[in-house]
Amino acid sequence: MIGIGVIGYGYWGPNLVRNFSDVPGCDVVAVADRRPERRSLVGRRHPSVRTTVEAADVIADPRVDAVVIATPVSSHYDLASAALAAGKHVWVEKPIALNALEASRLVDQADRAGLTLHVDHTFAYTTAVRKIRELVVSDALGQIYYYDSVRVNLGLFQHDVDVIWDLAVHDLSIIDYVLPEKPVAVSATGMAHVPGEPENIAYITLFFESSLIAHVHVNWLAPVKVRRTLIGGDRRMVVYDDLEPSEKVKVYDKGITMRPGDESTYQMRVGYRTGDMWAPQLDVTEALRTEGVHFLECIAQGTASLTDGRAGLRVVEILEAASRSMRERGRVIDLEARRCAA
Amino acid sequence: MIGIGVIGYGYWGPNLVRNFSDVPGCDVVAVADRRPERRSLVGRRHPSVRTTVEAADVIADPRVDAVVIATPVSSHYDLASAALAAGKHVWVEKPIALNALEASRLVDQADRAGLTLHVDHTFAYTTAVRKIRELVVSDALGQIYYYDSVRVNLGLFQHDVDVIWDLAVHDLSIIDYVLPEKPVAVSATGMAHVPGEPENIAYITLFFESSLIAHVHVNWLAPVKVRRTLIGGDRRMVVYDDLEPSEKVKVYDKGITMRPGDESTYQMRVGYRTGDMWAPQLDVTEALRTEGVHFLECIAQGTASLTDGRAGLRVVEILEAASRSMRERGRVIDLEARRCAA
Amino acid sequence: MIGIGVIGYGYWGPNLVRNFSDVPGCDVVAVADRRPERRSLVGRRHPSVRTTVEAADVIADPRVDAVVIATPVSSHYDLASAALAAGKHVWVEKPIALNALEASRLVDQADRAGLTLHVDHTFAYTTAVRKIRELVVSDALGQIYYYDSVRVNLGLFQHDVDVIWDLAVHDLSIIDYVLPEKPVAVSATGMAHVPGEPENIAYITLFFESSLIAHVHVNWLAPVKVRRTLIGGDRRMVVYDDLEPSEKVKVYDKGITMRPGDESTYQMRVGYRTGDMWAPQLDVTEALRTEGVHFLECIAQGTASLTDGRAGLRVVEILEAASRSMRERGRVIDLEARRCAA
Amino acid sequence: MIGIGVIGYGYWGPNLVRNFSDVPGCDVVAVADRRPERRSLVGRRHPSVRTTVEAADVIADPRVDAVVIATPVSSHYDLASAALAAGKHVWVEKPIALNALEASRLVDQADRAGLTLHVDHTFAYTTAVRKIRELVVSDALGQIYYYDSVRVNLGLFQHDVDVIWDLAVHDLSIIDYVLPEKPVAVSATGMAHVPGEPENIAYITLFFESSLIAHVHVNWLAPVKVRRTLIGGDRRMVVYDDLEPSEKVKVYDKGITMRPGDESTYQMRVGYRTGDMWAPQLDVTEALRTEGVHFLECIAQGTASLTDGRAGLRVVEILEAASRSMRERGRVIDLEARRCAA
């Protein structure tokens, strides 16, 4: 039985505590939060769980085998590092850390200690994203041409991170999981509309070795909520709409064909073909449960998590580069160069 | 009675001929097209209209007061210039010309000759776009924060121009008509997926003096057709979906508010407010008819068209800069500098 | 070459004239309409076609082999009967006649004369409805449980017929074409909201020998346009939405299963299973063209039209019974009894 | 502080317990359920609540002031009657009882005892339905012509009640709350497709004194989930879509106008006018909480609940009549006559 200690009982913490209470093979034994009303909420909901003010108490608790960190991103590095130093496995919310340097230190520290370091890239555990990955890996889509995501809504402005770190992190973790290549450069644009606040709208383009191109649009200030991704392959194309109650993933048997053009227009034409559309049935398993089970398996078997510290690092590298490019009005930032230099 | 001569009876020409046949105060007297089957189609549909092989015949026809040019963009400059030289008013399809130099020459030529030079930026004549402009001008939206357009579908690849020149031209002409400022810089990214063909997917960011930001996504290779624009103001926001059979324009009484944050989270919060949504009734007048009547009025009264050669030039300047930026992976191109230098 | 004469150039007539002009193997030679402005419209659009005031002139015209009747329903019987008497084949708009008696007389008359009598049940010629029929016939849906159609919009009130005759006629003709059984009884309810006008909202239930049940909801006074049909089989189910630009027909691999219930609730449970959804690609061939070609084939080969007078009669029998039931607040009317008595 | 005892902890019971735990002014003190695993679930979630096997224990518990009954409908009468006899206020799930006789006895019993008898017609407490009632009462819609509801999905078959009692009860309770008149007659059709099981598809028409007509379509065997109501008035019309995440209620400024017809068609025309559409902002308050607060107020002040036993009785009268009509293929059942006779 794995003992779980949770640090942070704000927006996401309750879901984590509830989820680990349900997952077989583990027990939530302690929760830390500085806010008394959050601790008393834990007490009412989970009377048998220890509540503490200090994160250090959770980390030091001998019944705690794995520390789950659900605090603002600025504290991720210190808490995760302390937990690893105490010999605890770590589950940390996304993004893993404030910058690539912190992230890579955590990766190294976990490696040296032989501990599981898992980043909560939840979407990688949804049945929709797993189906998409399956379609990519099985070559059902053919060569991937583009990945285009829109993730906008009217949402709370974050204070400490811009909209890229808050929203695009989801898309970048899906891209990291789903696409066959890693990006080599990034160009981003965006704008801050509220003085003193970070950028609330952003557009990110990712370049790859091949002609694959990815684009992410995130916005805290949209009148409607949109969660829609288009993926174009030379064989089939996908529309993934996360707000659809069912049929989240639609596969279109569409594409282009080369054909001789109308001579009178003196051009060769790229034609297109259209075929059936197909929406595969998706399980209704909750992603967080799948992810919790996976985390425990990684701990038990000593295997790397699907979304381990390295995945967290790759995502943070792009987040850093994208934010920088955005502040320089789209100047392309080479990701490979930075990796080589690192 | 204004005599109309039409050059080019391909995809759009038939609509123009039909429209000018219906608009009171003018008469279509001649149509030129090099393709015999297109000329014979004109003959069957409009037996009284003269058909010719050579555009020059239309331009030279003494009954023709205004020449309508609906040919590939590469021929726009030569045909429009010849028509103006012959003392004819000109209606030219968008974009006005292949580059800003050609466009500015046409503007100068029309100015000197005192002739009407009109560019067919059709969307500026739709009831939906006019309603949006009215909302902007009347300050119903407040300060405009962003303009975000998606215009994608599975479409025929153009041979001579990239997807920016084919599709984004619509958005740029709407932006030119609707927004209170002109862009000062552009950054674009995109990709060509078919060897030997132009870019088929592109993302364009426009920067302005203020914090306004505009973004256009165009794609010839999307599995679904999307024509959706989000416009965010500090007072209200708009969703404009051109594929909606009714309710194309929806106005959301939503926005942000500043409020003190939850102290325990140590931050000031940008809150948001949500209110009613409202879809104004839009006339069903066909845009092309409104535009045709406007063109005749400009000729009759010697006034500038709403979408005159200068508007066409402004759009082409951005198209040129966007294509260049795209080929340099998003390098920002300063539009003001270019204008000063010109 | 079959000579076509068209009677009535109102709402639908222009589509018929345009269509028969395009269909190979026939020629529109004459059009009758009492209204001078409609005749002059024919003149402008189709200079070579003879226009006349009197329908009788079209029927008598020796160049006319087939008469197309697109007039109000009250005149269908007289015109069709006169055309058949003159030895002409007949295409008549739906519904074929004002009552079953008239309809059966036309069927007899055409039979005796060996002429083609075709009713314009257009939907039977759409690719969507044909795909649905194919799914039914191939047993892809299994045993059909129900057919449920909603056909509502804000439309012009008809003066001479109620909403059942105006709108439900479409659904009844689709049902006649698609379903494996013919209805044996009908119960309908409805209401007239405008004094002196016919019923503008109606609900029709059709009963069959088996447990199949069909229901049609029609309404001239709805705030939104809906054209949606649900078809449930024990193997698969269909959603047919005629307003979808693409994917009009969606096939759901869903159904029920029998399983033992939760004992503590003391009941057997009918469970359900859900699977993939699939939207077959549909040709974009225009239905009217397919139907025109079929009509000419029937004439040439002397075969019965898919939607011949008998189909027209069956539909009118149900229309009559439904209107009567509606006026008696849902009293069930036995269709078989009426047929036997006839 | 009102003591609440809950009988039945199946599908809906957990929501009731959770809700009454949150509503100020009351305390859940006991929960009865025959199933040990349900009782142990209560124990884990609400350690301080007494759990019992027997409903009688809850009713007899002196700390219990109000009994909440969330058991199958067949037990509603006995349990509610016992609770009232014990001097307890009653909240009973819908429908109130298996037939009108039982329902009217409960009404009488509660009247005589001076106790609150409340039926959980939850929709009457949603912000959407309250907005619709406000639109009706304020005459914003004008005279109501029709009320049309579709409530279909792929759902578990009930064993003891047909689809009318399971699903249409929601619509009938909304109709009872929202419309200005009570129905005077009902005609229903439907079908059972699984041998030995009750009807799984049904269509109900309600007639009123005026020309108002209401129709409800319910179906346990639909491939898609639909929850859509159209309400037509002579001034405005409403579309209420309960599945819309926001904008559940849309008000259309549309209607009909009388105008002289086109003379050549020899008819008067009922025209129509179209105007803006408007979606009022709706609070996000949970209906169950509003309803819980209302229930406590009714107890405290001795006032009748908005959805009291009489409302429950009215709904059950229609359910009874509708089921009977359905079994007689739509025979109209007069509701007034039954009431007079009662």
Side-chain angles (χ1 to χ4, degrees):
Chain A
M1 186 64 69
I2 299 286
I4 303 281
V6 177
I7 302 174
Y9 197 75
Y11 168 70
W12 195 239
N15 293 327
L16 294 166
V17 172
R18 175 188 53 71
N19 182 59
F20 280 113
S21 301
D22 281 358
V23 170
C26 69
D27 236 353
V28 179
V29 296
V31 172
D33 199 294
R34 294 192 171 278
R35 295 162 291 189
E37 77 280 8
R38 300 306 291 176
R39 289 196 304 278
S40 85
L41 193 55
V42 176
R44 262 178 293 150
R45 290 177 178 168
H46 308 280
S48 63
V49 170
R50 172 189 178 196
T51 58
T52 81
V53 177
E54 296 299 332
D57 296 340
V58 166
I59 293 170
D61 192 320
R63 298 169 308 159
V64 168
D65 303 301
V67 174
V68 172
I69 300 167
T71 57
V73 62
S74 55
S75 60
H76 284 186
Y77 175 74
D78 286 345
L79 292 171
S81 183
L84 292 168
K88 309 298 168 92
H89 303 286
V90 168
W91 164 305
V92 61
E93 281 311 299
K94 52 84 201 164
I96 183 175
L98 268 182
N99 52 58
L101 183 62
E102 285 182 0
S104 62
R105 282 182 180 162
L106 290 179
V107 168
D108 290 346
Q109 191 178 354
D111 278 359
R112 285 193 309 268
L115 292 165
T116 293
L117 173 59
H118 170 92
V119 188
D120 184 8
H121 291 172
T122 316
F123 277 98
Y125 301 90
T126 60
T127 51
V129 170
R130 296 191 151 210
K131 174 60 70 177
I132 292 171
R133 184 177 147 85
E134 186 188 311
L135 291 165
V136 170
V137 169
S138 69
D139 210 27
L141 306 185
Q143 186 192 340
I144 309 297
Y145 284 160
Y146 64 84
Y147 182 103
D148 176 272
S149 174
V150 177
R151 186 178 300 272
V152 308
N153 56 269
L154 191 59
L156 281 186
F157 276 53
Q158 300 294 318
H159 201 64
D160 50 346
V161 294
D162 62 40
V163 70
I164 291 178
W165 287 73
D166 182 44
L167 292 183
V169 62
H170 291 299
D171 301 290
L172 297 178
S173 67
I174 297 172
I175 286 169
D176 186 71
Y177 175 56
V178 159
L179 292 188
E181 295 177 76
K182 301 302 172 199
V184 298
V186 58
S187 164
T189 57
M191 195 60 64
H193 289 110
V194 180
E197 296 290 330
E199 285 84 353
N200 50 277
I201 183 170
Y203 301 94
I204 306 168
T205 300
L206 300 178
F207 298 98
F208 296 77
E209 286 279 330
S210 73
S211 68
L212 171 57
I213 186 170
H215 188 269
V216 176
H217 170 204
V218 285
N219 186 346
W220 280 332
L221 207 59
V224 288
K225 185 173 182 177
V226 182
R227 296 283 183 271
R228 189 150 78 155
T229 302
L230 309 180
I231 307 172
D234 72 350
R235 193 168 293 164
R236 288 192 192 82
M237 308 196 201
V238 164
V239 175
Y240 161 38
D241 188 336
D242 200 47
L243 301 185
E244 280 278 321
S246 50
E247 292 124 46
K248 285 182 193 300
V249 175
K250 291 181 180 156
V251 184
Y252 291 81
D253 190 12
K254 294 185 173 180
I256 51 173
T257 55
M258 302 302 296
R259 59 174 192 193
D262 175 355
E263 281 190 33
S264 58
T265 61
Y266 309 112
Q267 38 179 267
M268 281 287 294
R269 285 282 191 183
V270 181
Y272 52 86
R273 60 177 182 74
T274 63
D276 294 357
M277 183 269 272
W278 164 68
Q281 164 72 5
L282 299 174
D283 281 352
V284 292
T285 323
E286 198 191 354
L288 206 49
R289 186 181 171 92
T290 305
E291 187 178 356
V293 169
H294 177 67
F295 178 57
L296 295 187
E297 282 171 2
C298 291
I299 291 174
Q301 298 166 16
T303 50
S305 161
L306 192 69
T307 54
D308 63 0
R310 282 177 173 73
L313 167 60
R314 287 192 300 269
V315 166
V316 163
E317 281 177 339
I318 304 171
L319 290 172
E320 267 197 299
S323 282
R324 187 184 317 159
S325 174
M326 177 171 61
R327 285 190 290 271
E328 301 178 35
R329 296 198 306 178
R331 186 171 71 80
V332 72
I333 309 280
D334 201 323
L335 290 163
E336 286 299 304
R338 297 179 62 255
R339 286 184 198 149
C340 296
Chain B
M1 185 67 67
I2 300 287
I4 304 281
V6 177
I7 302 173
Y9 197 76
Y11 168 68
W12 195 240
N15 292 327
L16 294 167
V17 172
R18 176 187 51 72
N19 182 58
F20 279 112
S21 301
D22 281 357
V23 171
C26 69
D27 237 353
V28 179
V29 296
V31 173
D33 199 293
R34 294 193 170 278
R35 296 161 292 189
E37 76 279 10
R38 300 305 293 175
R39 288 197 305 277
S40 86
L41 193 55
V42 176
R44 263 178 292 150
R45 289 177 178 168
H46 309 279
S48 64
V49 169
R50 173 191 178 194
T51 59
T52 81
V53 177
E54 297 298 333
D57 295 341
V58 167
I59 292 170
D61 192 319
R63 297 170 306 159
V64 168
D65 304 299
V67 174
V68 172
I69 300 166
T71 57
V73 61
S74 54
S75 59
H76 285 185
Y77 174 74
D78 286 346
L79 292 171
S81 183
L84 291 168
K88 309 297 168 93
H89 303 285
V90 168
W91 163 306
V92 61
E93 280 312 299
K94 51 86 202 165
I96 183 175
L98 268 182
N99 52 57
L101 183 62
E102 286 182 0
S104 62
R105 281 183 180 163
L106 291 179
V107 168
D108 290 346
Q109 190 178 354
D111 278 357
R112 282 195 310 268
L115 292 166
T116 293
L117 174 58
H118 170 94
V119 188
D120 185 8
H121 290 171
T122 315
F123 277 98
Y125 301 91
T126 60
T127 51
V129 170
R130 297 192 149 208
K131 173 60 72 177
I132 292 170
R133 184 177 146 86
E134 186 188 310
L135 290 166
V136 170
V137 168
S138 69
D139 210 26
L141 306 184
Q143 186 192 339
I144 309 298
Y145 284 160
Y146 64 83
Y147 181 103
D148 176 90
S149 175
V150 178
R151 186 178 300 272
V152 307
N153 55 268
L154 191 59
L156 280 187
F157 276 53
Q158 299 295 317
H159 201 64
D160 50 346
V161 293
D162 62 41
V163 70
I164 291 178
W165 286 73
D166 182 44
L167 292 182
V169 63
H170 291 299
D171 301 291
L172 297 178
S173 67
I174 296 172
I175 286 169
D176 186 70
Y177 175 57
V178 157
L179 292 188
E181 296 177 74
K182 301 302 172 201
V184 297
V186 59
S187 165
T189 56
M191 196 60 64
H193 289 110
V194 180
E197 295 290 331
E199 285 84 354
N200 50 277
I201 182 171
Y203 301 94
I204 307 168
T205 300
L206 300 179
F207 298 99
F208 296 77
E209 286 279 330
S210 73
S211 67
L212 172 57
I213 186 170
H215 187 270
V216 176
H217 170 204
V218 285
N219 187 345
W220 279 332
L221 208 59
V224 287
K225 185 173 183 177
V226 183
R227 295 284 183 270
R228 189 151 77 156
T229 302
L230 308 180
I231 307 173
D234 71 350
R235 193 168 293 164
R236 288 193 191 80
M237 307 195 203
V238 164
V239 176
Y240 161 39
D241 188 336
D242 201 46
L243 302 185
E244 280 278 321
S246 50
E247 292 125 44
K248 284 182 194 299
V249 175
K250 290 180 181 158
V251 185
Y252 291 81
D253 189 13
K254 293 185 174 180
I256 50 172
T257 55
M258 302 301 297
R259 60 174 191 191
D262 176 356
E263 282 190 33
S264 59
T265 60
Y266 312 110
Q267 38 179 269
M268 280 287 296
R269 283 284 191 181
V270 181
Y272 52 87
R273 58 176 184 76
T274 63
D276 293 357
M277 182 268 271
W278 165 69
Q281 163 72 3
L282 299 174
D283 280 353
V284 292
T285 323
E286 199 191 354
L288 207 48
R289 186 182 172 92
T290 304
E291 186 178 356
V293 169
H294 176 67
F295 178 57
L296 295 187
E297 281 172 1
C298 292
I299 290 174
Q301 298 166 16
T303 51
S305 160
L306 191 71
T307 54
D308 62 1
R310 283 177 172 76
L313 168 59
R314 287 192 300 269
V315 166
V316 164
E317 281 176 338
I318 304 171
L319 291 171
E320 266 197 298
S323 282
R324 187 184 318 159
S325 175
M326 176 170 63
R327 286 190 289 271
E328 301 179 36
R329 295 198 305 178
R331 186 171 72 79
V332 71
I333 310 279
D334 200 324
L335 290 163
E336 286 299 303
R338 297 179 63 255
R339 285 184 198 149
C340 294
Chain C
M1 184 66 66
I2 300 286
I4 304 280
V6 177
I7 302 174
Y9 197 76
Y11 168 71
W12 195 239
N15 293 327
L16 294 167
V17 173
R18 175 188 52 71
N19 183 57
F20 280 112
S21 301
D22 281 357
V23 171
C26 68
D27 237 353
V28 179
V29 295
V31 173
D33 199 294
R34 294 194 171 276
R35 294 161 292 189
E37 76 279 9
R38 301 304 294 175
R39 288 196 304 277
S40 87
L41 193 55
V42 175
R44 262 177 292 150
R45 290 177 177 167
H46 308 280
S48 63
V49 170
R50 172 191 179 196
T51 58
T52 81
V53 177
E54 297 299 332
D57 296 342
V58 167
I59 292 170
D61 191 320
R63 298 169 306 157
V64 168
D65 303 299
V67 174
V68 172
I69 300 167
T71 57
V73 62
S74 55
S75 59
H76 285 185
Y77 174 74
D78 286 346
L79 292 170
S81 183
L84 291 168
K88 308 297 167 95
H89 303 285
V90 168
W91 163 305
V92 60
E93 282 309 301
K94 52 84 200 165
I96 183 175
L98 269 183
N99 51 58
L101 183 63
E102 285 182 0
S104 63
R105 282 183 181 163
L106 290 179
V107 168
D108 290 346
Q109 191 178 354
D111 278 359
R112 283 194 309 268
L115 292 165
T116 293
L117 173 59
H118 170 93
V119 188
D120 184 8
H121 291 172
T122 316
F123 277 98
Y125 301 90
T126 59
T127 51
V129 170
R130 296 192 149 211
K131 175 58 73 178
I132 292 170
R133 184 177 146 85
E134 186 187 312
L135 291 165
V136 170
V137 169
S138 70
D139 210 28
L141 306 185
Q143 185 193 339
I144 309 298
Y145 284 160
Y146 64 83
Y147 182 102
D148 176 272
S149 175
V150 178
R151 185 177 300 272
V152 307
N153 57 266
L154 190 59
L156 279 188
F157 276 53
Q158 300 294 318
H159 202 63
D160 49 346
V161 294
D162 62 41
V163 70
I164 290 178
W165 287 73
D166 182 44
L167 292 182
V169 63
H170 291 299
D171 301 291
L172 297 178
S173 67
I174 297 172
I175 286 170
D176 187 69
Y177 175 56
V178 159
L179 293 188
E181 295 177 75
K182 301 303 172 200
V184 297
V186 60
S187 165
T189 56
M191 195 60 64
H193 289 110
V194 180
E197 295 291 331
E199 285 83 355
N200 50 277
I201 183 170
Y203 300 94
I204 306 168
T205 300
L206 300 179
F207 298 98
F208 296 77
E209 285 279 330
S210 73
S211 68
L212 172 56
I213 186 169
H215 187 270
V216 176
H217 169 204
V218 285
N219 186 346
W220 279 333
L221 207 59
V224 288
K225 186 173 182 177
V226 182
R227 295 285 182 269
R228 189 150 77 156
T229 301
L230 309 180
I231 307 173
D234 72 349
R235 194 169 292 163
R236 288 192 192 82
M237 307 197 203
V238 164
V239 176
Y240 161 39
D241 188 337
D242 200 47
L243 302 185
E244 281 278 320
S246 52
E247 292 124 44
K248 285 182 193 298
V249 176
K250 291 180 179 157
V251 185
Y252 291 81
D253 189 12
K254 293 185 174 180
I256 50 172
T257 55
M258 302 302 296
R259 60 173 191 192
D262 176 356
E263 282 190 33
S264 60
T265 60
Y266 310 109
Q267 40 177 268
M268 281 287 294
R269 284 284 191 182
V270 181
Y272 52 86
R273 58 178 183 74
T274 64
D276 293 358
M277 183 268 274
W278 164 68
Q281 164 71 5
L282 299 174
D283 280 353
V284 293
T285 322
E286 198 191 354
L288 207 48
R289 187 182 172 89
T290 304
E291 186 178 355
V293 169
H294 176 67
F295 178 57
L296 294 187
E297 282 172 1
C298 291
I299 290 174
Q301 297 166 16
T303 50
S305 161
L306 192 69
T307 55
D308 61 1
R310 282 177 174 75
L313 168 60
R314 287 192 300 270
V315 166
V316 163
E317 280 176 338
I318 304 172
L319 291 172
E320 266 197 298
S323 281
R324 186 184 318 160
S325 174
M326 176 170 61
R327 286 190 289 270
E328 302 179 36
R329 296 197 307 177
R331 185 171 72 78
V332 72
I333 309 279
D334 200 324
L335 290 163
E336 286 299 303
R338 296 179 63 256
R339 285 185 199 148
C340 295
Chain D
M1 185 64 69
I2 300 287
I4 302 281
V6 177
I7 301 174
Y9 197 76
Y11 169 69
W12 194 240
N15 293 327
L16 293 167
V17 173
R18 175 188 52 72
N19 183 57
F20 280 112
S21 302
D22 280 358
V23 170
C26 69
D27 237 354
V28 179
V29 295
V31 172
D33 199 292
R34 295 194 170 275
R35 295 161 291 188
E37 76 279 9
R38 300 306 293 176
R39 288 196 305 278
S40 85
L41 192 55
V42 176
R44 263 178 292 150
R45 289 177 178 169
H46 309 279
S48 64
V49 170
R50 173 190 177 194
T51 58
T52 81
V53 178
E54 298 298 331
D57 296 342
V58 166
I59 292 170
D61 191 319
R63 298 170 308 160
V64 168
D65 303 300
V67 174
V68 172
I69 300 167
T71 57
V73 62
S74 54
S75 59
H76 284 185
Y77 174 75
D78 286 345
L79 292 171
S81 182
L84 291 169
K88 308 297 168 92
H89 304 286
V90 167
W91 163 305
V92 61
E93 281 311 300
K94 51 84 201 165
I96 183 174
L98 268 182
N99 52 59
L101 183 62
E102 285 181 0
S104 62
R105 281 182 181 163
L106 290 180
V107 168
D108 290 345
Q109 190 178 356
D111 278 358
R112 283 194 310 269
L115 293 165
T116 293
L117 173 59
H118 170 92
V119 188
D120 185 9
H121 291 170
T122 316
F123 277 98
Y125 301 90
T126 59
T127 51
V129 170
R130 297 192 150 211
K131 174 60 73 180
I132 291 170
R133 184 177 146 85
E134 186 187 311
L135 291 165
V136 170
V137 169
S138 70
D139 210 27
L141 306 185
Q143 186 193 338
I144 308 298
Y145 284 160
Y146 65 83
Y147 182 103
D148 176 272
S149 174
V150 178
R151 185 178 300 273
V152 308
N153 55 268
L154 192 59
L156 279 186
F157 276 52
Q158 300 295 318
H159 202 63
D160 49 347
V161 293
D162 62 41
V163 70
I164 291 178
W165 287 73
D166 182 44
L167 291 183
V169 63
H170 291 300
D171 301 290
L172 296 179
S173 67
I174 297 173
I175 286 169
D176 186 71
Y177 175 57
V178 157
L179 291 189
E181 295 178 74
K182 301 301 170 199
V184 297
V186 59
S187 165
T189 56
M191 196 60 64
H193 289 109
V194 180
E197 296 290 330
E199 285 84 353
N200 52 277
I201 183 171
Y203 301 94
I204 306 169
T205 300
L206 301 179
F207 297 98
F208 296 78
E209 286 278 332
S210 73
S211 68
L212 172 56
I213 187 170
H215 187 270
V216 176
H217 169 205
V218 285
N219 187 345
W220 278 332
L221 208 59
V224 288
K225 185 173 183 177
V226 182
R227 295 283 184 271
R228 188 151 78 157
T229 302
L230 309 180
I231 307 173
D234 72 349
R235 194 168 291 164
R236 288 191 190 82
M237 307 196 203
V238 164
V239 176
Y240 161 39
D241 188 336
D242 200 48
L243 301 185
E244 279 280 318
S246 50
E247 292 125 44
K248 285 182 193 299
V249 176
K250 291 181 180 156
V251 185
Y252 291 81
D253 190 12
K254 292 185 174 180
I256 50 172
T257 55
M258 301 302 296
R259 59 173 192 191
D262 176 355
E263 280 189 34
S264 59
T265 60
Y266 311 110
Q267 40 178 266
M268 281 287 295
R269 282 283 191 183
V270 181
Y272 52 85
R273 60 178 182 73
T274 64
D276 293 359
M277 182 268 273
W278 165 68
Q281 163 73 3
L282 299 174
D283 281 352
V284 292
T285 322
E286 197 191 353
L288 207 48
R289 186 182 171 91
T290 304
E291 187 178 354
V293 169
H294 176 68
F295 179 55
L296 295 187
E297 282 171 2
C298 291
I299 290 175
Q301 297 166 16
T303 50
S305 161
L306 192 69
T307 55
D308 62 1
R310 283 177 173 75
L313 168 59
R314 287 192 299 269
V315 166
V316 163
E317 280 176 339
I318 304 172
L319 291 172
E320 266 196 299
S323 281
R324 187 183 317 158
S325 175
M326 176 170 62
R327 285 190 290 270
E328 301 179 36
R329 296 199 306 177
R331 185 172 73 80
V332 72
I333 309 280
D334 200 323
L335 290 164
E336 287 298 304
R338 298 180 62 256
R339 283 185 199 148
C340 295

